[in-house]
Amino acid sequence: MLGGVDEKKRALSAGAGLGLAAAQWLRDSGYRQPNGLVLISPGLNASVSRAEQMAIAARDPVQDIPGIIEAGRLFAGDLDVSHPYVSPLNGDFRGLAPMIVFSGTLDLLYPDSIDLAAKARAAGVPIDLHLRRGQPHNYAAMPTPEGRQARAIILRVVAQ
């Protein structure tokens, strides 16, 4: 990402969270932001501790909370899992690149995407949240009508 800061950043789940954390790091380190971030089902908070996520987890066909927590712990290394470079929802959003976010309501991570949109807007960052009812984690990458629609949107954004 450092070599192509003026390229669009596309990422899926953990990669999407990493992409957002990288954008925060770039800003904090004095580097340019990419032109935009495309985040698909971003993993934004490694603690996965919200009450509504517990309820969503019961119907999420792809992910489970213990797996996400363990992945976050392993990824964090010496950092606390609440650190913004591990859980970018906890970071500062001022000066970040415009974002487009895709999430589905069957994804236990989707409540964090709603908070991401609110925090980005409050910081003056343009964000376009595509929240699809009844869609699972990473639906935008799936060979379904909803996935194809999401990819068409992504292709239009990237081509701009």
Side-chain angles (χ1 to χ4, degrees), residues 13-14 41 56-68 106-109 137-138:
S13 61
S41 297
I56 298 165
R59 61 182 196 272
D60 185 326
V62 178
Q63 300 194 105
D64 65 358
I65 291 174
I68 294 171
L106 290 181
D107 183 349
L108 68 92
L109 300 178
H137 184 73
N138 286 341

Side-chain angles (χ1 to χ4, degrees), residues 85-129:
Y85 296 162
V86 179
S87 295
L89 189 60
N90 297 332
D92 180 8
F93 286 77
R94 287 174 290 136
L96 294 181
M99 300 176 211
I100 184 168
V101 180
F102 295 85
S103 192
T105 61
L106 290 181
D107 183 349
L108 68 92
L109 300 178
Y110 96 81
D112 290 338
S113 290
I114 293 171
D115 287 352
L116 166 65
K119 287 185 81 171
R121 287 181 185 120
V125 175
I127 186 166
D128 188 9
L129 174 61

Side-chain angles (χ1 to χ4, degrees), residues 19-31:
L20 180 57
Q24 291 170 338
W25 180 87
L26 286 168
R27 183 214 43 229
D28 295 347
S29 300
Y31 293 100

Side-chain angles (χ1 to χ4, degrees), residues 137-149:
H137 184 73
N138 286 341
Y139 85 88
M142 294 181 176
T144 61
E146 296 83 2
R148 284 188 285 281
Q149 290 170 352

